[in-house]
């Protein structure tokens, strides 16, 4: 399985493209505004996208959802606690920041609760509810990797000052679900550089 990162949108959000070179199957994760580079890559590789996964529904992680969904025909997966956020700018945060256009998407086709194990690209993806940054944040664990959205960053953590954020809950989420993973687990965050669980255990000043 190949993983490619695309830095998109108004606040440099990491969108990820996961794909299998043999089968040409793919997953898109957290497509932000202006996803042209991502769409161009899908065309170049002639990939068939099977799912659009959202770690959470803040505007910077959903801004490209409609363009990617229209191009691929794939279902959107989102946690139940934020299923209304796609359609409501006051919930997804786009109404709070003047430099961001109101972000309104159609509802997700697939609603997650956490605890699911889903299969794509010949891999099992474990869906874990990881709140704190937002109430419906989820992380996707697979094959020595975790795609955690805005939970854990390289030497930082997700902000908790937006509506629904909870600092104590975020710290508990990281300790209960991230720091129990092997040190060599790769962390693919919603912003910034890729890191390792072991690195964050040793060097993250917030933890």
């Amino acid at each position: 399985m190949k993983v490619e990162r695309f830095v998109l949108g108004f606040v440099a959000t990491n969108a990820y493209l996961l794909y299998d070179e043999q089968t040409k199957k793919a997953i898109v994760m957290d497509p932000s505004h202006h996803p042209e580079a991502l769409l161009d890559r899908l065309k170049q590789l002639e990939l068939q996208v099977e799912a659009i996964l959202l770690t959470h529904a803040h505007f910077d992680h959903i801004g490209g959802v409609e363009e990617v969904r229209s191009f691929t025909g794939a279902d959107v997966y989102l946690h139940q606690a934020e299923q209304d956020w796609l359609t409501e700018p006051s919930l997804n945060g786009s109404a709070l920041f003047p430099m961001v256009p109101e972000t309104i998407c159609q509802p997700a086709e697939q609603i997650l609760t956490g605890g699911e194990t889903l299969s794509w690209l010949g891999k099992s993806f474990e869906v874990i509810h990881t709140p704190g940054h937002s109430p419906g944040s989820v992380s996707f664990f697979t094959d020595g990797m975790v795609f955690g959205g805005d939970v854990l960053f390289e030497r930082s953590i997700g902000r908790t000052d937006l509506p629904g954020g909870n600092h104590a809950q975020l710290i508990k989420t990281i300790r209960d679900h991230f720091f129990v993973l092997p040190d060599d687990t790769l962390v693919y965050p919603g912003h910034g550089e890729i890191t390792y669980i072991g690195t964050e255990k040793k060097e993250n000043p917030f933890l």
Side-chain angles (χ1 to χ4, degrees):
M1 182 178 71
K2 299 284 188 178
V3 181
E4 296 186 12
R5 178 174 64 130
F6 297 80
V7 182
L8 305 176
F10 299 92
V11 289
T13 301
N14 290 335
Y16 294 103
L17 171 62
L18 291 65
Y19 63 95
D20 185 306
E21 291 181 296
Q22 303 285 322
T23 66
K24 298 290 187 177
K25 304 291 188 181
I27 293 169
V28 170
M29 196 172 300
D30 286 352
S32 192
H33 298 86
H34 308 300
E36 290 82 9
L38 172 59
L39 295 175
D40 286 345
R41 187 63 168 154
L42 293 176
K43 295 173 189 175
Q44 178 188 27
L45 296 175
E46 299 181 335
L47 297 175
Q48 179 184 348
V49 175
E50 296 186 299
I52 302 166
L53 308 183
L54 302 180
T55 59
H56 62 295
H58 281 147
F59 71 89
D60 55 319
H61 291 254
I62 67 171
V65 161
E66 288 309 322
E67 289 168 86
V68 175
R69 177 158 46 184
S70 176
F71 180 76
T72 65
D75 283 356
V76 172
Y77 290 69
L78 176 67
H79 190 270
Q80 62 182 358
E82 296 180 12
Q83 58 184 312
D84 296 334
W85 290 30
L86 291 178
T87 61
E88 181 48 66
S90 65
L91 294 175
N92 65 46
S94 60
L96 303 178
F97 299 95
M99 80 290 191
V100 178
E102 282 196 339
T103 303
I104 301 173
C105 305
Q106 294 301 308
E109 289 86 2
Q110 305 294 334
I111 301 302
L112 302 169
T113 60
E116 297 94 342
T117 300
L118 305 173
S119 296
W120 296 288
L121 314 181
K123 307 286 185 182
S124 292
F125 289 77
E126 186 178 1
V127 182
I128 303 297
H129 185 209
T130 50
H133 172 67
S134 71
S137 288
V138 295
S139 298
F140 300 93
F141 296 77
T142 184
D143 200 24
M145 299 174 280
V146 56
F147 297 84
D150 291 359
V151 173
L152 179 66
F153 300 135
E154 181 188 35
R155 295 175 178 83
S156 188
I157 59 174
R159 65 188 294 177
T160 55
D161 59 336
L162 296 173
N166 184 307
H167 180 79
Q169 189 177 48
L170 179 63
I171 298 300
K172 179 173 171 41
T173 281
I174 294 169
R175 296 196 182 282
D176 288 354
H177 296 298
F178 282 63
F179 280 7
V180 298
L181 299 172
D183 285 354
D184 62 353
T185 302
L186 281 165
V187 179
Y188 289 84
H191 303 272
E193 298 302 316
I194 297 161
T195 186
Y196 288 91
I197 289 293
T199 302
E200 299 314 309
K201 285 180 180 177
K202 295 175 183 176
E203 300 180 12
N204 194 308
F206 295 90
L207 298 160

